[in-house]
Amino acid sequence: NDNDRISLGTLKWPIFTLRYTRGISGILGSDFDYNKVSLNISNDLKMGFFGTSSISLTGEYIFETLPYPLLKAHIGNESAFYTTAAYNLMNFSEFASDRYVEFRYLHRFQGFILNRIPLMKKLKWRLIASADILYGSLSEANRNILSPVNQDGNETEPIGFFDNRPYVEVGYGVENVFKVLWIEFFHRLTYLDRPDVNNFGVKISFQFIL
């Protein structure tokens, strides 16, 4: 009949998000029974003079043997635009996993550095820095059911797997350029031996800060 608000004190707690996905065969044409569980922990840390850090830690586990479209296909970004939903120097379909852990870090320096430069202070540009780390694996059973050909008999695009290394990319740049533009420079630090990968890129985005 009503809502009760319970205070946990003045400490800013992180946000915990638990997701459970259940696939049931035979419903609306579904062919598979499966279970997925993921947990995300995120928090924004105000560091006073030094700016603000946004931290996100996610883990997911898929219990059953499934075809590639139902596994975790980690999102790459081959466009010129920055997105927080993807790894910005990862190619499309480069990695798939049935269990993984990812760590994402973004720091906004606010005016900590650029406000000490007179011209930059007037422009109100703000420095940013980021780091994205992803480590996953794919069971042998899931690797074995990946078909090398599609329904037309043509070879499918190869799906990449993790070895014993994480995928790592770091970035730095500026936001609030002309009040709306975000520009970030990225460096890819691992899996540089793969074909058609870029170890450096520049991405832009648009945002409005009130």
Side-chain angles (χ1 to χ4, degrees), residues 152-169:
D152 299 325
N154 300 318
E155 287 191 11
T156 58
E157 290 292 326
I159 303 302
F161 309 125
F162 293 92
D163 52 30
N164 293 323
R165 299 171 293 166
Y167 173 87
V168 182
E169 65 182 28

Side-chain angles (χ1 to χ4, degrees), residues 8-191:
L8 297 177
T10 57
L11 179 66
K12 181 175 174 56
W13 287 75
I15 298 171
F16 293 82
T17 304
L18 178 66
R19 290 187 173 92
Y20 170 71
T21 304
R22 171 67 174 152
I24 304 174
S25 63
I27 296 180
L28 299 177
S30 173
D31 296 319
F32 300 96
D33 289 293
Y34 60 89
N35 300 272
K36 299 180 181 180
V37 176
S38 68
L39 175 65
N40 171 264
I41 304 171
S42 61
N43 201 6
D44 290 333
L45 302 177
K46 294 183 179 180
M47 306 179 70
F49 191 67
F50 299 100
T52 303
S53 290
S54 298
I55 300 173
S56 175
L57 179 66
T58 304
E60 183 175 57
Y61 188 90
I62 301 172
F63 292 86
E64 284 76 24
T65 301
L66 294 172
Y68 166 71
L70 293 177
L71 299 175
K72 179 63 178 182
H74 300 285
I75 303 174
N77 180 17
E78 297 181 26
S79 74
F81 296 98
Y82 168 79
T83 172
T84 57
Y87 290 88
N88 286 281
L89 289 182
M90 183 185 292
N91 292 334
F92 299 140
S93 303
E94 188 175 348
F95 292 98
S97 65
D98 53 25
R99 67 206 70 181
Y100 71 91
V101 175
E102 71 174 5
F103 174 77
R104 291 178 175 269
Y105 178 81
L106 172 65
H107 187 79
R108 287 181 160 98
F109 287 93
Q110 308 296 353
F112 172 57
I113 296 176
L114 295 186
N115 275 1
R116 283 153 179 73
I117 305 173
L119 178 60
M120 293 292 101
K121 185 175 182 179
K122 289 184 178 180
L123 291 174
K124 295 184 179 180
W125 291 9
R126 298 290 182 258
L127 282 178
I128 52 176
S130 65
D132 295 317
I133 303 172
L134 172 67
Y135 180 73
S137 63
L138 192 63
S139 67
E140 195 65 31
N142 275 322
R143 293 191 188 205
N144 290 337
I145 68 171
L146 289 174
S147 176
V149 295
N150 58 26
Q151 292 178 344
D152 299 325
N154 300 318
E155 287 191 11
T156 58
E157 290 292 326
I159 303 302
F161 309 125
F162 293 92
D163 52 30
N164 293 323
R165 299 171 293 166
Y167 173 87
V168 182
E169 65 182 28
V170 296
Y172 52 88
V174 290
E175 63 176 338
N176 204 39
V177 179
F178 306 123
K179 306 297 184 182
V180 296
L181 195 61
W182 174 305
I183 304 174
E184 189 164 358
F185 303 87
F186 287 95
H187 295 270
R188 174 168 168 160
L189 303 184
T190 56
Y191 294 97

